[in-house]
Amino acid sequence: ICALHELKKTDTSESVAVMSVDLGSEWMKIAIVKPGVPMEIALNKESRRKTPVAVCLKENERLFGDSALGVAVKNPKVVYRFLQSILGKTADNPQVAQYQKHFPEHQMQRDEKRGTVFFKFSEELQYTPEELLGMILNYSRGLAQDFAEQLIKDAVITVPAYFNQAERRAVLQAAHIAGLKVLQLINDNTAVALNYGVFRRKDINSTAQNIMFYDMGSGSTTATIVTYQTVKTKESGTQPQLQIRGVGFDRTLGGFEMELRLRDHLAKLFNEQKKSKKDVRENLRAMAKLLKEAQRLKTVLSANAEHMAQIEGLMDDIDFKAKVTRSEFEALCEDLFDRVPGPVKEALAAAEMTMDEIDQVILVGGSTRVPRVQDVLLKAVGKEELSKNINADEAAAMGAVYQAAALSKAFKVKPFLVRDAAVFPIQVEFSRETEEEDGVKTMKHNKRILFQRMAPYPQRKVITFNRYMDDFVFYINYGDLGFLSEQDLKVFGSQNLTTVKLSGVGSSFTKHSDAESKGIKAHFNMDESGVLILDRVKLGNTISSLFGGGSSEPTANDEEEVSPEAEKDQERSEKQEESAQEKPETEEGKEGDVSCFSELINVENELTESEKWDRHSVVTEDSLKNSHVFLPHIRLQDLTDRDLEKQEREKTLNSLEAFIFETQDKLYQDEYLAVVTEEEKEQITGKLSEASNWMDEEGYAAGTKELKEKLSELKKLCKAMFFRVEERKKWPDSLAALDTREFFLFYFFYKRSIFETFFIFFCLGNLEGNAVLSKDIDAKRSLLDREVNYLLNKAKFAKPKPKDKAKDKNTTSTENSKANSTEDAEKIITPKSDDGETDYFILANPLI
């Protein structure tokens, strides 16, 4: 359906597989594409299709996924989960405080240099959220590689559509730590929409279809309006396209908040039972057990009206048991259910559409399985039903891996155009001195929208500053965020992306005083990941990269001109800039402007203390390369190396144990007893017993090198025995391959020495060094086959000698009289078979 196939042949040693990671707040789903495998979910080590986003840090090891969750119940303070909500957040962000409330077992401190937070694991070890996420992404890469059976480096990672520039940069940093090359950060709602469209491309035509995807996951909820229709392109003709029209979201509405309320309810029920004088809420380990049971309970109550919650040894060896009904659960989450319609209304407002224009509403995300959520949503959208015709758990991962294949050079897919949209507007602000009619000089603050809300991307924009003749400063900020609530604005963080200082402007004008200036042009690019970059700033008209190794040069039609220097009032100029954007400025200059010049302008990014984290959103490639964020990659590599060493030791230890036990058992089997002498058996048995005793006394504490040496020694001792057994297994097949042609040759081939030599060689073989091996039999058989085929072909094309017709007429009577003598001349061979019966073969041709 996806028409995904290998584009070119590659060397088997070259890795061509790509992967996607649907990075949720609680779970991640991994998908791969490799030659012969179009799109498939990668199973984890427990053969599950989804993996918890969790990492456990012990003193000597790290655990991930389900193994980490197993430790969380016993020792919650060493397990880190739900990191998505604190990525790219300053220490004073409300979501950091909320995280600390949910997980009081973790010691979180402020990083004075960055302004963000880190986890204090011990006096010597501290980890940032990006480092922990990097560990998890590296683990996901390992799972993908194990499943694909080859190395993988290229990946597409999903992020929530509401992630701002700082949050997106944080994910990129984590991926860099993991050693992944990010082909694209794709919004999870866009990945879902792509997956839906790819498998229904035949239903997409020139008539627009408007679909709303309602996605309630563990940590957040998003409603997205997508328009599907076919469009004409210059490159590939008419192709299907999806366009994101509107997005609404609630950052904290999800299944996890419901589970927390159930957990607290269970804690209350336990305290009311008064089986212990202690408050269970003060016991971190007991609360971790209650959270695990609350997660199970929420799932069960989605299909049952009531269920019994029970935990053995909740606290102080006291068992807990209590009945919880669905109505009680719904009462606990009543205010959460009231928030379900919110993202729908926001998405409609952003798209400037009504529900009457929406063809269907499709449910996505595990938390949409809660019955009350569906009831409230159905009432809010006013439809007859909610569609469930998509895999709610895996759609994003599959859409993202399709995009990974499309971006990879190793694969070719049918085009499916994607027009994503920027949820948050971005603008450029600057101040300059103006002179009024009365001669009074004042400072005028100007704002120019760079990317409007829901503006499509990837896209390039150019702003021209015409009136500056000396060094100046401009600010890149988020635009009007009035559509966000007061709480969302607090969570959003700083609205300033960066402060850009331009130096060398005055000296450039002085240097080229005889040339005509075309203004100072700032070139911006919002790439496929939704990350804003300031490509370059230059004086004049000729494009030239400011930063080495920057993005490729755009053509004239790639960029839209935003003119910030209109003399008219602010509102009118902002209206006019829409029409100006429709006419991108060419980059070659007007015809006849032979005196135009180009010179690069130096750019500096100035950050205030409150903007320390948002330097991740600094929009220059230079600032990205010279980020001051200290992420100790060497330390993380040491942890990875230690994990690999631990895995290697465990693998060797298991192999040694298995070899000892299995070989001891084989020595009692007939097929092994048939090929060894008593002396050999005693020697092998003694060495195996000796190794088994060593394992009990020293082996489980031995290093990898010593274990490998012990295993190698035993394998060398048993090599001859194993070889003989394998040979005995191969002999019947090799002998059976000797077909009737060999026997035919034995009877009639006048050069019988080849077969006789082979036969004598076969019969004289023994086990004392002259053994005939199966490969020898196969080699001799191949030689015989070649000779027989040669002789048969020769017989087939041999021509009998022509008879003399005249002589034949005169000798007819003579031949009749000599019939008996002619009969004697014909040779008949009647060889006897082993059972005494006669096989008749007549030599019809004297050549054979």
Side-chain angles (χ1 to χ4, degrees), residues 257-267 290 293-295 297-298 301 324 329 332-333:
E257 184 63 32
M258 300 177 194
E259 293 162 1
L260 288 172
R261 297 190 179 192
L262 261 180
R263 178 199 66 176
D264 294 341
H265 178 66
L266 295 177
L290 287 171
E293 180 63 10
Q295 292 170 331
L297 194 61
K298 186 198 76 172
L301 288 177
V324 180
F329 166 64
L332 291 170
C333 304

mmCIF file with all atom_site columns, all heavy atoms in Angstrom, residues 257-267 290 293-295 297-298 301 324 329 332-333:
data_model
loop_
_atom_site.group_PDB
_atom_site.id
_atom_site.type_symbol
_atom_site.label_atom_id
_atom_site.label_alt_id
_atom_site.label_comp_id
_atom_site.label_asym_id
_atom_site.label_entity_id
_atom_site.label_seq_id
_atom_site.pdbx_PDB_ins_code
_atom_site.Cartn_x
_atom_site.Cartn_y
_atom_site.Cartn_z
_atom_site.occupancy
_atom_site.B_iso_or_equiv
_atom_site.pdbx_formal_charge
_atom_site.auth_seq_id
_atom_site.auth_comp_id
_atom_site.auth_asym_id
_atom_site.auth_atom_id
_atom_site.pdbx_PDB_model_num
ATOM 1   N N   . GLU A 1 257 ? -2.864  11.922 34.976 1.00 0.00 ? 257 GLU A N   1
ATOM 2   C CA  . GLU A 1 257 ? -3.530  12.696 36.030 1.00 0.00 ? 257 GLU A CA  1
ATOM 3   C C   . GLU A 1 257 ? -4.685  11.902 36.620 1.00 0.00 ? 257 GLU A C   1
ATOM 4   O O   . GLU A 1 257 ? -4.933  11.955 37.841 1.00 0.00 ? 257 GLU A O   1
ATOM 5   C CB  . GLU A 1 257 ? -4.028  14.023 35.459 1.00 0.00 ? 257 GLU A CB  1
ATOM 6   C CG  . GLU A 1 257 ? -4.654  14.957 36.482 1.00 0.00 ? 257 GLU A CG  1
ATOM 7   C CD  . GLU A 1 257 ? -3.676  15.415 37.562 1.00 0.00 ? 257 GLU A CD  1
ATOM 8   O OE1 . GLU A 1 257 ? -2.476  15.544 37.271 1.00 0.00 ? 257 GLU A OE1 1
ATOM 9   O OE2 . GLU A 1 257 ? -4.135  15.623 38.712 1.00 0.00 ? 257 GLU A OE2 1
ATOM 10  N N   . MET A 1 258 ? -5.387  11.144 35.801 1.00 0.00 ? 258 MET A N   1
ATOM 11  C CA  . MET A 1 258 ? -6.463  10.283 36.310 1.00 0.00 ? 258 MET A CA  1
ATOM 12  C C   . MET A 1 258 ? -5.899  9.209  37.230 1.00 0.00 ? 258 MET A C   1
ATOM 13  O O   . MET A 1 258 ? -6.481  8.896  38.287 1.00 0.00 ? 258 MET A O   1
ATOM 14  C CB  . MET A 1 258 ? -7.203  9.629  35.143 1.00 0.00 ? 258 MET A CB  1
ATOM 15  C CG  . MET A 1 258 ? -7.849  10.602 34.172 1.00 0.00 ? 258 MET A CG  1
ATOM 16  S SD  . MET A 1 258 ? -8.627  9.727  32.775 1.00 0.00 ? 258 MET A SD  1
ATOM 17  C CE  . MET A 1 258 ? -8.914  11.087 31.642 1.00 0.00 ? 258 MET A CE  1
ATOM 18  N N   . GLU A 1 259 ? -4.760  8.635  36.838 1.00 0.00 ? 259 GLU A N   1
ATOM 19  C CA  . GLU A 1 259 ? -4.136  7.592  37.654 1.00 0.00 ? 259 GLU A CA  1
ATOM 20  C C   . GLU A 1 259 ? -3.648  8.140  38.993 1.00 0.00 ? 259 GLU A C   1
ATOM 21  O O   . GLU A 1 259 ? -3.744  7.458  40.019 1.00 0.00 ? 259 GLU A O   1
ATOM 22  C CB  . GLU A 1 259 ? -2.970  6.974  36.878 1.00 0.00 ? 259 GLU A CB  1
ATOM 23  C CG  . GLU A 1 259 ? -3.416  6.199  35.649 1.00 0.00 ? 259 GLU A CG  1
ATOM 24  C CD  . GLU A 1 259 ? -2.298  5.968  34.649 1.00 0.00 ? 259 GLU A CD  1
ATOM 25  O OE1 . GLU A 1 259 ? -1.159  6.401  34.930 1.00 0.00 ? 259 GLU A OE1 1
ATOM 26  O OE2 . GLU A 1 259 ? -2.565  5.370  33.593 1.00 0.00 ? 259 GLU A OE2 1
ATOM 27  N N   . LEU A 1 260 ? -3.140  9.365  38.979 1.00 0.00 ? 260 LEU A N   1
ATOM 28  C CA  . LEU A 1 260 ? -2.690  9.971  40.235 1.00 0.00 ? 260 LEU A CA  1
ATOM 29  C C   . LEU A 1 260 ? -3.860  10.165 41.204 1.00 0.00 ? 260 LEU A C   1
ATOM 30  O O   . LEU A 1 260 ? -3.716  9.960  42.410 1.00 0.00 ? 260 LEU A O   1
ATOM 31  C CB  . LEU A 1 260 ? -2.018  11.313 39.953 1.00 0.00 ? 260 LEU A CB  1
ATOM 32  C CG  . LEU A 1 260 ? -0.634  11.253 39.287 1.00 0.00 ? 260 LEU A CG  1
ATOM 33  C CD1 . LEU A 1 260 ? -0.178  12.650 38.892 1.00 0.00 ? 260 LEU A CD1 1
ATOM 34  C CD2 . LEU A 1 260 ? 0.390   10.609 40.215 1.00 0.00 ? 260 LEU A CD2 1
ATOM 35  N N   . ARG A 1 261 ? -4.997  10.535 40.667 1.00 0.00 ? 261 ARG A N   1
ATOM 36  C CA  . ARG A 1 261 ? -6.170  10.724 41.529 1.00 0.00 ? 261 ARG A CA  1
ATOM 37  C C   . ARG A 1 261 ? -6.672  9.386  42.066 1.00 0.00 ? 261 ARG A C   1
ATOM 38  O O   . ARG A 1 261 ? -7.108  9.296  43.218 1.00 0.00 ? 261 ARG A O   1
ATOM 39  C CB  . ARG A 1 261 ? -7.270  11.453 40.760 1.00 0.00 ? 261 ARG A CB  1
ATOM 40  C CG  . ARG A 1 261 ? -6.822  12.850 40.355 1.00 0.00 ? 261 ARG A CG  1
ATOM 41  C CD  . ARG A 1 261 ? -7.948  13.686 39.822 1.00 0.00 ? 261 ARG A CD  1
ATOM 42  N NE  . ARG A 1 261 ? -7.485  15.015 39.464 1.00 0.00 ? 261 ARG A NE  1
ATOM 43  C CZ  . ARG A 1 261 ? -8.270  16.037 39.185 1.00 0.00 ? 261 ARG A CZ  1
ATOM 44  N NH1 . ARG A 1 261 ? -9.590  15.876 39.235 1.00 0.00 ? 261 ARG A NH1 1
ATOM 45  N NH2 . ARG A 1 261 ? -7.774  17.221 38.878 1.00 0.00 ? 261 ARG A NH2 1
ATOM 46  N N   . LEU A 1 262 ? -6.613  8.351  41.241 1.00 0.00 ? 262 LEU A N   1
ATOM 47  C CA  . LEU A 1 262 ? -6.962  7.021  41.717 1.00 0.00 ? 262 LEU A CA  1
ATOM 48  C C   . LEU A 1 262 ? -5.981  6.563  42.794 1.00 0.00 ? 262 LEU A C   1
ATOM 49  O O   . LEU A 1 262 ? -6.380  5.939  43.785 1.00 0.00 ? 262 LEU A O   1
ATOM 50  C CB  . LEU A 1 262 ? -6.952  6.033  40.549 1.00 0.00 ? 262 LEU A CB  1
ATOM 51  C CG  . LEU A 1 262 ? -8.299  5.677  39.909 1.00 0.00 ? 262 LEU A CG  1
ATOM 52  C CD1 . LEU A 1 262 ? -8.096  4.698  38.767 1.00 0.00 ? 262 LEU A CD1 1
ATOM 53  C CD2 . LEU A 1 262 ? -9.267  5.102  40.932 1.00 0.00 ? 262 LEU A CD2 1
ATOM 54  N N   . ARG A 1 263 ? -4.691  6.850  42.588 1.00 0.00 ? 263 ARG A N   1
ATOM 55  C CA  . ARG A 1 263 ? -3.683  6.482  43.583 1.00 0.00 ? 263 ARG A CA  1
ATOM 56  C C   . ARG A 1 263 ? -3.984  7.133  44.929 1.00 0.00 ? 263 ARG A C   1
ATOM 57  O O   . ARG A 1 263 ? -3.958  6.467  45.979 1.00 0.00 ? 263 ARG A O   1
ATOM 58  C CB  . ARG A 1 263 ? -2.297  6.919  43.102 1.00 0.00 ? 263 ARG A CB  1
ATOM 59  C CG  . ARG A 1 263 ? -1.170  6.624  44.081 1.00 0.00 ? 263 ARG A CG  1
ATOM 60  C CD  . ARG A 1 263 ? 0.075   7.452  43.787 1.00 0.00 ? 263 ARG A CD  1
ATOM 61  N NE  . ARG A 1 263 ? -0.162  8.884  44.005 1.00 0.00 ? 263 ARG A NE  1
ATOM 62  C CZ  . ARG A 1 263 ? 0.770   9.828  43.888 1.00 0.00 ? 263 ARG A CZ  1
ATOM 63  N NH1 . ARG A 1 263 ? 1.995   9.487  43.517 1.00 0.00 ? 263 ARG A NH1 1
ATOM 64  N NH2 . ARG A 1 263 ? 0.485   11.098 44.097 1.00 0.00 ? 263 ARG A NH2 1
ATOM 65  N N   . ASP A 1 264 ? -4.270  8.426  44.892 1.00 0.00 ? 264 ASP A N   1
ATOM 66  C CA  . ASP A 1 264 ? -4.563  9.137  46.143 1.00 0.00 ? 264 ASP A CA  1
ATOM 67  C C   . ASP A 1 264 ? -5.850  8.605  46.785 1.00 0.00 ? 264 ASP A C   1
ATOM 68  O O   . ASP A 1 264 ? -5.968  8.568  48.020 1.00 0.00 ? 264 ASP A O   1
ATOM 69  C CB  . ASP A 1 264 ? -4.676  10.638 45.868 1.00 0.00 ? 264 ASP A CB  1
ATOM 70  C CG  . ASP A 1 264 ? -3.355  11.250 45.419 1.00 0.00 ? 264 ASP A CG  1
ATOM 71  O OD1 . ASP A 1 264 ? -2.296  10.616 45.664 1.00 0.00 ? 264 ASP A OD1 1
ATOM 72  O OD2 . ASP A 1 264 ? -3.377  12.336 44.809 1.00 0.00 ? 264 ASP A OD2 1
ATOM 73  N N   . HIS A 1 265 ? -6.804  8.204  45.963 1.00 0.00 ? 265 HIS A N   1
ATOM 74  C CA  . HIS A 1 265 ? -8.047  7.638  46.490 1.00 0.00 ? 265 HIS A CA  1
ATOM 75  C C   . HIS A 1 265 ? -7.785  6.302  47.183 1.00 0.00 ? 265 HIS A C   1
ATOM 76  O O   . HIS A 1 265 ? -8.325  6.033  48.271 1.00 0.00 ? 265 HIS A O   1
ATOM 77  C CB  . HIS A 1 265 ? -9.053  7.445  45.349 1.00 0.00 ? 265 HIS A CB  1
ATOM 78  C CG  . HIS A 1 265 ? -10.347 6.824  45.767 1.00 0.00 ? 265 HIS A CG  1
ATOM 79  N ND1 . HIS A 1 265 ? -11.245 7.454  46.613 1.00 0.00 ? 265 HIS A ND1 1
ATOM 80  C CD2 . HIS A 1 265 ? -10.902 5.608  45.469 1.00 0.00 ? 265 HIS A CD2 1
ATOM 81  C CE1 . HIS A 1 265 ? -12.294 6.677  46.827 1.00 0.00 ? 265 HIS A CE1 1
ATOM 82  N NE2 . HIS A 1 265 ? -12.107 5.544  46.139 1.00 0.00 ? 265 HIS A NE2 1
ATOM 83  N N   . LEU A 1 266 ? -6.936  5.481  46.570 1.00 0.00 ? 266 LEU A N   1
ATOM 84  C CA  . LEU A 1 266 ? -6.585  4.204  47.193 1.00 0.00 ? 266 LEU A CA  1
ATOM 85  C C   . LEU A 1 266 ? -5.828  4.418  48.497 1.00 0.00 ? 266 LEU A C   1
ATOM 86  O O   . LEU A 1 266 ? -6.029  3.679  49.473 1.00 0.00 ? 266 LEU A O   1
ATOM 87  C CB  . LEU A 1 266 ? -5.742  3.363  46.226 1.00 0.00 ? 266 LEU A CB  1
ATOM 88  C CG  . LEU A 1 266 ? -6.433  2.906  44.937 1.00 0.00 ? 266 LEU A CG  1
ATOM 89  C CD1 . LEU A 1 266 ? -5.450  2.137  44.049 1.00 0.00 ? 266 LEU A CD1 1
ATOM 90  C CD2 . LEU A 1 266 ? -7.655  2.050  45.248 1.00 0.00 ? 266 LEU A CD2 1
ATOM 91  N N   . ALA A 1 267 ? -4.968  5.421  48.521 1.00 0.00 ? 267 ALA A N   1
ATOM 92  C CA  . ALA A 1 267 ? -4.229  5.732  49.752 1.00 0.00 ? 267 ALA A CA  1
ATOM 93  C C   . ALA A 1 267 ? -5.200  6.146  50.867 1.00 0.00 ? 267 ALA A C   1
ATOM 94  O O   . ALA A 1 267 ? -5.040  5.750  52.031 1.00 0.00 ? 267 ALA A O   1
ATOM 95  C CB  . ALA A 1 267 ? -3.220  6.843  49.484 1.00 0.00 ? 267 ALA A CB  1
ATOM 96  N N   . LEU A 1 290 ? 0.909   1.780  44.986 1.00 0.00 ? 290 LEU A N   1
ATOM 97  C CA  . LEU A 1 290 ? -0.460  2.236  44.762 1.00 0.00 ? 290 LEU A CA  1
ATOM 98  C C   . LEU A 1 290 ? -0.632  2.830  43.362 1.00 0.00 ? 290 LEU A C   1
ATOM 99  O O   . LEU A 1 290 ? -1.681  2.661  42.731 1.00 0.00 ? 290 LEU A O   1
ATOM 100 C CB  . LEU A 1 290 ? -0.853  3.258  45.823 1.00 0.00 ? 290 LEU A CB  1
ATOM 101 C CG  . LEU A 1 290 ? -1.111  2.706  47.231 1.00 0.00 ? 290 LEU A CG  1
ATOM 102 C CD1 . LEU A 1 290 ? -1.279  3.841  48.230 1.00 0.00 ? 290 LEU A CD1 1
ATOM 103 C CD2 . LEU A 1 290 ? -2.347  1.801  47.238 1.00 0.00 ? 290 LEU A CD2 1
ATOM 104 N N   . GLU A 1 293 ? -0.962  0.006  40.905 1.00 0.00 ? 293 GLU A N   1
ATOM 105 C CA  . GLU A 1 293 ? -2.289  -0.597 40.975 1.00 0.00 ? 293 GLU A CA  1
ATOM 106 C C   . GLU A 1 293 ? -3.343  0.338  40.398 1.00 0.00 ? 293 GLU A C   1
ATOM 107 O O   . GLU A 1 293 ? -4.306  -0.117 39.760 1.00 0.00 ? 293 GLU A O   1
ATOM 108 C CB  . GLU A 1 293 ? -2.628  -0.929 42.427 1.00 0.00 ? 293 GLU A CB  1
ATOM 109 C CG  . GLU A 1 293 ? -3.991  -1.563 42.650 1.00 0.00 ? 293 GLU A CG  1
ATOM 110 C CD  . GLU A 1 293 ? -4.132  -2.925 41.972 1.00 0.00 ? 293 GLU A CD  1
ATOM 111 O OE1 . GLU A 1 293 ? -3.120  -3.466 41.495 1.00 0.00 ? 293 GLU A OE1 1
ATOM 112 O OE2 . GLU A 1 293 ? -5.259  -3.450 41.937 1.00 0.00 ? 293 GLU A OE2 1
ATOM 113 N N   . ALA A 1 294 ? -3.172  1.649  40.564 1.00 0.00 ? 294 ALA A N   1
ATOM 114 C CA  . ALA A 1 294 ? -4.109  2.624  40.010 1.00 0.00 ? 294 ALA A CA  1
ATOM 115 C C   . ALA A 1 294 ? -4.092  2.577  38.477 1.00 0.00 ? 294 ALA A C   1
ATOM 116 O O   . ALA A 1 294 ? -5.141  2.708  37.826 1.00 0.00 ? 294 ALA A O   1
ATOM 117 C CB  . ALA A 1 294 ? -3.761  4.024  40.501 1.00 0.00 ? 294 ALA A CB  1
ATOM 118 N N   . GLN A 1 295 ? -2.923  2.382  37.896 1.00 0.00 ? 295 GLN A N   1
ATOM 119 C CA  . GLN A 1 295 ? -2.826  2.279  36.441 1.00 0.00 ? 295 GLN A CA  1
ATOM 120 C C   . GLN A 1 295 ? -3.579  1.053  35.921 1.00 0.00 ? 295 GLN A C   1
ATOM 121 O O   . GLN A 1 295 ? -4.278  1.124  34.907 1.00 0.00 ? 295 GLN A O   1
ATOM 122 C CB  . GLN A 1 295 ? -1.343  2.219  36.038 1.00 0.00 ? 295 GLN A CB  1
ATOM 123 C CG  . GLN A 1 295 ? -0.607  3.536  36.296 1.00 0.00 ? 295 GLN A CG  1
ATOM 124 C CD  . GLN A 1 295 ? 0.900   3.408  36.126 1.00 0.00 ? 295 GLN A CD  1
ATOM 125 O OE1 . GLN A 1 295 ? 1.472   2.339  36.332 1.00 0.00 ? 295 GLN A OE1 1
ATOM 126 N NE2 . GLN A 1 295 ? 1.549   4.498  35.767 1.00 0.00 ? 295 GLN A NE2 1
ATOM 127 N N   . LEU A 1 297 ? -6.022  -0.425 37.525 1.00 0.00 ? 297 LEU A N   1
ATOM 128 C CA  . LEU A 1 297 ? -7.425  -0.223 37.860 1.00 0.00 ? 297 LEU A CA  1
ATOM 129 C C   . LEU A 1 297 ? -8.130  0.655  36.836 1.00 0.00 ? 297 LEU A C   1
ATOM 130 O O   . LEU A 1 297 ? -9.274  0.389  36.442 1.00 0.00 ? 297 LEU A O   1
ATOM 131 C CB  . LEU A 1 297 ? -7.521  0.407  39.249 1.00 0.00 ? 297 LEU A CB  1
ATOM 132 C CG  . LEU A 1 297 ? -8.886  0.402  39.937 1.00 0.00 ? 297 LEU A CG  1
ATOM 133 C CD1 . LEU A 1 297 ? -9.373  -1.020 40.157 1.00 0.00 ? 297 LEU A CD1 1
ATOM 134 C CD2 . LEU A 1 297 ? -8.799  1.141  41.277 1.00 0.00 ? 297 LEU A CD2 1
ATOM 135 N N   . LYS A 1 298 ? -7.457  1.695  36.362 1.00 0.00 ? 298 LYS A N   1
ATOM 136 C CA  . LYS A 1 298 ? -8.062  2.586  35.370 1.00 0.00 ? 298 LYS A CA  1
ATOM 137 C C   . LYS A 1 298 ? -8.400  1.827  34.086 1.00 0.00 ? 298 LYS A C   1
ATOM 138 O O   . LYS A 1 298 ? -9.464  2.016  33.493 1.00 0.00 ? 298 LYS A O   1
ATOM 139 C CB  . LYS A 1 298 ? -7.097  3.733  35.050 1.00 0.00 ? 298 LYS A CB  1
ATOM 140 C CG  . LYS A 1 298 ? -7.704  4.798  34.133 1.00 0.00 ? 298 LYS A CG  1
ATOM 141 C CD  . LYS A 1 298 ? -6.645  5.667  33.494 1.00 0.00 ? 298 LYS A CD  1
ATOM 142 C CE  . LYS A 1 298 ? -5.951  4.922  32.377 1.00 0.00 ? 298 LYS A CE  1
ATOM 143 N NZ  . LYS A 1 298 ? -5.032  5.779  31.595 1.00 0.00 ? 298 LYS A NZ  1
ATOM 144 N N   . LEU A 1 301 ? -11.437 -0.557 34.749 1.00 0.00 ? 301 LEU A N   1
ATOM 145 C CA  . LEU A 1 301 ? -12.704 0.161  34.908 1.00 0.00 ? 301 LEU A CA  1
ATOM 146 C C   . LEU A 1 301 ? -13.234 0.726  33.594 1.00 0.00 ? 301 LEU A C   1
ATOM 147 O O   . LEU A 1 301 ? -14.400 1.115  33.518 1.00 0.00 ? 301 LEU A O   1
ATOM 148 C CB  . LEU A 1 301 ? -12.547 1.286  35.929 1.00 0.00 ? 301 LEU A CB  1
ATOM 149 C CG  . LEU A 1 301 ? -12.405 0.847  37.394 1.00 0.00 ? 301 LEU A CG  1
ATOM 150 C CD1 . LEU A 1 301 ? -12.175 2.052  38.296 1.00 0.00 ? 301 LEU A CD1 1
ATOM 151 C CD2 . LEU A 1 301 ? -13.646 0.072  37.846 1.00 0.00 ? 301 LEU A CD2 1
ATOM 152 N N   . VAL A 1 324 ? -13.507 -0.556 44.071 1.00 0.00 ? 324 VAL A N   1
ATOM 153 C CA  . VAL A 1 324 ? -13.638 0.770  43.464 1.00 0.00 ? 324 VAL A CA  1
ATOM 154 C C   . VAL A 1 324 ? -14.594 0.646  42.286 1.00 0.00 ? 324 VAL A C   1
ATOM 155 O O   . VAL A 1 324 ? -14.464 -0.257 41.457 1.00 0.00 ? 324 VAL A O   1
ATOM 156 C CB  . VAL A 1 324 ? -12.277 1.313  42.990 1.00 0.00 ? 324 VAL A CB  1
ATOM 157 C CG1 . VAL A 1 324 ? -12.449 2.695  42.365 1.00 0.00 ? 324 VAL A CG1 1
ATOM 158 C CG2 . VAL A 1 324 ? -11.280 1.366  44.135 1.00 0.00 ? 324 VAL A CG2 1
ATOM 159 N N   . PHE A 1 329 ? -14.619 6.539  40.267 1.00 0.00 ? 329 PHE A N   1
ATOM 160 C CA  . PHE A 1 329 ? -13.500 7.018  39.446 1.00 0.00 ? 329 PHE A CA  1
ATOM 161 C C   . PHE A 1 329 ? -13.897 8.272  38.656 1.00 0.00 ? 329 PHE A C   1
ATOM 162 O O   . PHE A 1 329 ? -13.140 9.251  38.585 1.00 0.00 ? 329 PHE A O   1
ATOM 163 C CB  . PHE A 1 329 ? -13.055 5.902  38.505 1.00 0.00 ? 329 PHE A CB  1
ATOM 164 C CG  . PHE A 1 329 ? -12.146 6.353  37.396 1.00 0.00 ? 329 PHE A CG  1
ATOM 165 C CD1 . PHE A 1 329 ? -10.894 6.871  37.663 1.00 0.00 ? 329 PHE A CD1 1
ATOM 166 C CD2 . PHE A 1 329 ? -12.551 6.261  36.062 1.00 0.00 ? 329 PHE A CD2 1
ATOM 167 C CE1 . PHE A 1 329 ? -10.049 7.282  36.637 1.00 0.00 ? 329 PHE A CE1 1
ATOM 168 C CE2 . PHE A 1 329 ? -11.722 6.657  35.035 1.00 0.00 ? 329 PHE A CE2 1
ATOM 169 C CZ  . PHE A 1 329 ? -10.472 7.167  35.328 1.00 0.00 ? 329 PHE A CZ  1
ATOM 170 N N   . LEU A 1 332 ? -14.019 11.321 40.846 1.00 0.00 ? 332 LEU A N   1
ATOM 171 C CA  . LEU A 1 332 ? -12.678 11.822 41.169 1.00 0.00 ? 332 LEU A CA  1
ATOM 172 C C   . LEU A 1 332 ? -12.130 12.702 40.048 1.00 0.00 ? 332 LEU A C   1
ATOM 173 O O   . LEU A 1 332 ? -11.375 13.649 40.305 1.00 0.00 ? 332 LEU A O   1
ATOM 174 C CB  . LEU A 1 332 ? -11.720 10.647 41.398 1.00 0.00 ? 332 LEU A CB  1
ATOM 175 C CG  . LEU A 1 332 ? -11.930 9.791  42.640 1.00 0.00 ? 332 LEU A CG  1
ATOM 176 C CD1 . LEU A 1 332 ? -11.053 8.550  42.583 1.00 0.00 ? 332 LEU A CD1 1
ATOM 177 C CD2 . LEU A 1 332 ? -11.623 10.595 43.904 1.00 0.00 ? 332 LEU A CD2 1
ATOM 178 N N   . CYS A 1 333 ? -12.514 12.403 38.803 1.00 0.00 ? 333 CYS A N   1
ATOM 179 C CA  . CYS A 1 333 ? -11.943 13.082 37.635 1.00 0.00 ? 333 CYS A CA  1
ATOM 180 C C   . CYS A 1 333 ? -12.952 13.995 36.946 1.00 0.00 ? 333 CYS A C   1
ATOM 181 O O   . CYS A 1 333 ? -12.781 14.322 35.761 1.00 0.00 ? 333 CYS A O   1
ATOM 182 C CB  . CYS A 1 333 ? -11.422 12.053 36.640 1.00 0.00 ? 333 CYS A CB  1
ATOM 183 S SG  . CYS A 1 333 ? -10.216 10.905 37.328 1.00 0.00 ? 333 CYS A SG  1
#
